[in-house]
């Protein structure tokens, strides 16, 4: 049980380090080419919009967590602390 927990912890730590070092990965739909080749047409990939890279799921989770933390810990605005101020007066 402890060995399995350690293995999962090591895998998650490795993935977190990978997301920190290389936040973008090749698009899985177009294999990093940026275009989709049909029978007669060549179109930009809809998933990556022709950019060839996608944001990793772990990095997206990290960005969302950071945004939530920043929104919850920022200083209140002037209107929140000034009791005498009313926007309608």
């Amino acid at each position: 049980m402890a060995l399995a927990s350690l293995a999962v912890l090591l895998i998650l730590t490795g993935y977190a380090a990978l997301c920190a070092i290389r936040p973008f990965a090749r698009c899985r739909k177009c294999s990093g080419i940026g275009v989709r080749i049909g029978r007669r047409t060549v179109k930009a990939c809809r998933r990556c919009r022709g950019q060839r890279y996608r944001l990793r799921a772990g990095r997206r989770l990290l960005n969302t967590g950071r945004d939530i933390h920043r929104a919850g810990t920022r200083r209140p605005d002037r209107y929140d602390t000034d009791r005498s101020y009313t926007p309608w007066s």
Side-chain angles (χ1 to χ4, degrees):
M1 183 71 169
L3 187 62
S5 298
L6 181 64
V8 168
L9 184 64
L10 285 174
I11 290 171
L12 288 176
T13 304
Y15 185 68
L18 179 68
C19 288
I21 295 169
R22 298 192 63 194
F24 294 98
R26 290 188 331 174
C27 177
R28 289 184 295 228
K29 195 75 165 180
C30 65
S31 301
I33 298 172
V35 294
R36 297 287 313 264
I37 301 171
R39 282 191 272 179
R40 297 180 189 160
T41 60
V42 177
K43 296 181 182 180
C45 178
R46 289 190 302 177
R47 182 175 287 177
C48 67
R49 290 180 231 110
Q51 297 294 319
R52 301 182 342 180
Y53 294 104
R54 63 176 175 83
L55 194 61
R56 292 182 193 271
R59 184 60 182 219
R60 190 173 295 123
L61 184 66
L62 178 70
N63 290 347
T64 302
R66 188 175 21 202
D67 291 343
I68 289 171
H69 176 73
R70 187 180 305 129
T73 58
R74 69 175 169 222
R75 290 182 7 185
D77 291 337
R78 179 179 78 105
Y79 308 118
D80 294 338
T81 58
D82 189 8
R83 301 276 184 218
S84 64
Y85 176 80
T86 55
W88 52 84
S89 62

